[in-house]
Amino acid sequence: MDSQPAHGIFVWNELNTRNIEAAKTFYATTLGWSYEPMPIEDGSAYCIIKMGDTRVGGIFVLAGPEFDGIPDHWFSYIAVDDVDARVGAVESAGGTVLRPVFEVPGVGRIGIVRDSVGAVAGWITPRM
């Protein structure tokens, strides 16, 4: 996510896994990805996925009891013009707010939502 993306487009993909080292090895070997660590305020591990000098995604570690029963998976983020307003409209449209809007310093404001058919995505108003 190197520039301000347009509202409504997919902007970031993130691998959610319990075994970050195995995932990094797999994708480095098969796709040629490299990685750059990104500190997170709570001290958990996060890696930026790079193809050459381009940031192409991230890896998030599923650590903690809140992730029990959730399988490793790829997770997508969609850019929105005003995440607070957009997430505020989710429930009246038949969806569910799974994680209220929160700030990721240097990245943007994010909310995690389940749509009316059960699909989950992150919505983000980037601040880059």
Side-chain angles (χ1 to χ4, degrees), residues 8-9 12 15 17 21 40 43 47-49 51 56 59-60 62 65-66 73 89 104 116 121:
I9 66 167
W12 194 249
L15 176 59
T17 183
E21 292 307 319
I40 297 181
C47 269
I48 301 295
I49 302 167
M51 189 68 187
V56 297
I59 304 176
F60 175 80
L62 296 172
E66 67 270 30
H73 63 280
V104 177
S116 62

Side-chain angles (χ1 to χ4, degrees), residues 85-97 113-118 123:
R86 300 292 176 170
V87 168
V90 165
E91 291 181 359
S92 65
T96 306
V97 177
V113 303
R114 178 181 292 130
D115 68 19
S116 62
V117 296
W123 290 0

Side-chain angles (χ1 to χ4, degrees), residues 6-69:
H7 171 79
I9 66 167
F10 286 91
V11 293
W12 194 249
N13 286 296
E14 179 179 86
L15 176 59
N16 289 213
T17 183
R18 286 173 179 74
N19 191 336
I20 193 170
E21 292 307 319
K24 286 167 54 178
T25 299
F26 175 83
Y27 287 106
T29 301
T30 59
L31 299 180
W33 287 348
S34 61
Y35 309 95
E36 145 188 332
M38 179 180 156
I40 297 181
E41 286 181 359
D42 68 3
S44 52
Y46 192 85
C47 269
I48 301 295
I49 302 167
K50 296 177 77 175
M51 189 68 187
D53 291 332
T54 303
R55 292 175 165 195
V56 297
I59 304 176
F60 175 80
V61 178
L62 296 172
E66 67 270 30
F67 299 111
D68 287 352

